[in-house]
Amino acid sequence: MPLTDSGLRVAVFGATGTAGSAVLRECLSDPRITEVVAVARRRTNVGATGLKEVICSNFLDMEIISEHLVGLDVCFYCLGVSQARVRDPAKYREITHDYTLVAARAILKQSSTCVFHFLTGVGSDPSGRSRMMWARVKGETEIALTGVGLGGVVCWRPGWIHQFHPSGGRRGAWLFHSLFRRFPGMAVSAVEFGRAMLQATFEGMTDGVVENREIVTLAGRYESGPEVFARSSTT
């Protein structure tokens, strides 16, 4: 995606969850992002310049918040729930599939060229043959998103997203993090996930599926700072 001196305007759905809050923090820390629209059921309790918090009480009706979706370059959609927390298949489908499609279609009306980054998960099955209900629903959602007509759809399939921060932590946390580093297909930290989403955006990714190994690789390529913004603005 080409960058200009004006930077990018992005939306983060699910900005109070483990992944979404990390994506939000990384967006707010990157000078190439000029405004972040954080959409959630409750406030993020993050105070930052360039942050616009939008409280949404009904994710099946985006009309009431549609004015905040105008002029978006990118949407990082991290809203979701584990099947372990929602046993009712109909409710799980509503949250995973219906909420996502309502959001994508609302964005299409206001920002038709927006690139939609969807946090789905490892094991998602677009073929519909999986015996796991959640895998079929996530796979169906991936397929449906590609037909909405947005500027692009990128599906993210991380393994376990944990909260270890690579810049510090207790010894036990370091050992835990080091263990998972030997198995890059299994897990990723929330910070790395946020940085990977940004890196993919700045590299111009607009379609495809990103598995856990590539997430780790993208995060490793990420760098932020005024000098990066200056280089990107002149390319």
Side-chain angles (χ1 to χ4, degrees), residues 188-234:
V188 64
S189 73
V191 171
E192 289 175 308
F193 181 73
R195 292 176 179 176
M197 276 193 153
L198 285 178
Q199 185 64 21
T201 296
F202 298 137
E203 290 183 6
M205 185 180 295
T206 59
D207 59 51
V209 173
V210 188
E211 303 283 358
N212 202 92
R213 287 179 179 274
E214 188 176 358
I215 293 172
V216 173
T217 300
L218 282 165
R221 290 204 298 268
Y222 175 80
E223 58 176 321
S224 175
E227 69 286 353
V228 176
F229 181 68
R231 289 202 301 271
S232 300
S233 299
T234 57

Side-chain angles (χ1 to χ4, degrees), residues 1 9-11 69 71-76 104 107-108 110-117 149-153 206:
M1 176 175 294
R9 186 169 190 262
V10 309
L69 306 178
L72 294 176
D73 297 296
V74 184
C75 174
F76 298 123
I107 291 172
L108 177 68
Q110 305 293 348
S111 305
S112 61
T113 60
C114 179
V115 178
F116 196 94
H117 291 258
L150 285 160
V153 173
T206 59

Side-chain angles (χ1 to χ4, degrees), residues 14-155:
T16 57
T18 298
S21 61
V23 173
L24 174 64
R25 289 192 300 271
E26 295 305 317
C27 286
L28 293 171
S29 299
D30 196 301
R32 293 165 289 187
I33 306 294
T34 54
E35 184 175 21
V36 182
V37 179
V39 183
R41 290 191 183 277
R42 63 183 187 276
R43 296 204 173 275
T44 64
N45 295 320
V46 175
T49 302
L51 173 62
K52 176 182 289 186
E53 298 200 58
V54 178
I55 304 303
C56 183
S57 58
N58 182 5
F59 284 94
L60 290 175
D61 182 6
M62 294 281 166
E63 188 62 34
I64 195 171
I65 69 165
S66 61
E67 64 182 282
H68 302 293
L69 306 178
V70 176
L72 294 176
D73 297 296
V74 184
C75 174
F76 298 123
Y77 191 91
C78 302
L79 190 156
V81 67
S82 167
Q83 186 184 352
R85 293 179 55 191
V86 179
R87 296 291 185 179
D88 179 10
K91 187 63 179 178
Y92 181 82
R93 178 182 174 80
E94 176 184 296
I95 295 172
T96 304
H97 177 276
D98 299 350
Y99 286 7
T100 307
L101 270 294
V102 168
R105 289 164 182 155
I107 291 172
L108 177 68
K109 290 181 180 180
Q110 305 293 348
S111 305
S112 61
T113 60
C114 179
V115 178
F116 196 94
H117 291 258
F118 174 50
L119 170 56
T120 170
V122 66
S124 297
D125 180 22
S127 75
R129 293 192 295 267
S130 175
R131 292 183 295 177
M132 308 299 291
M133 179 272 293
W134 64 266
R136 297 194 303 273
V137 172
K138 284 181 178 289
E140 182 182 347
T141 306
E142 290 181 12
I143 293 174
L145 280 171
T146 62
V148 170
L150 285 160
V153 173
V154 182
C155 296

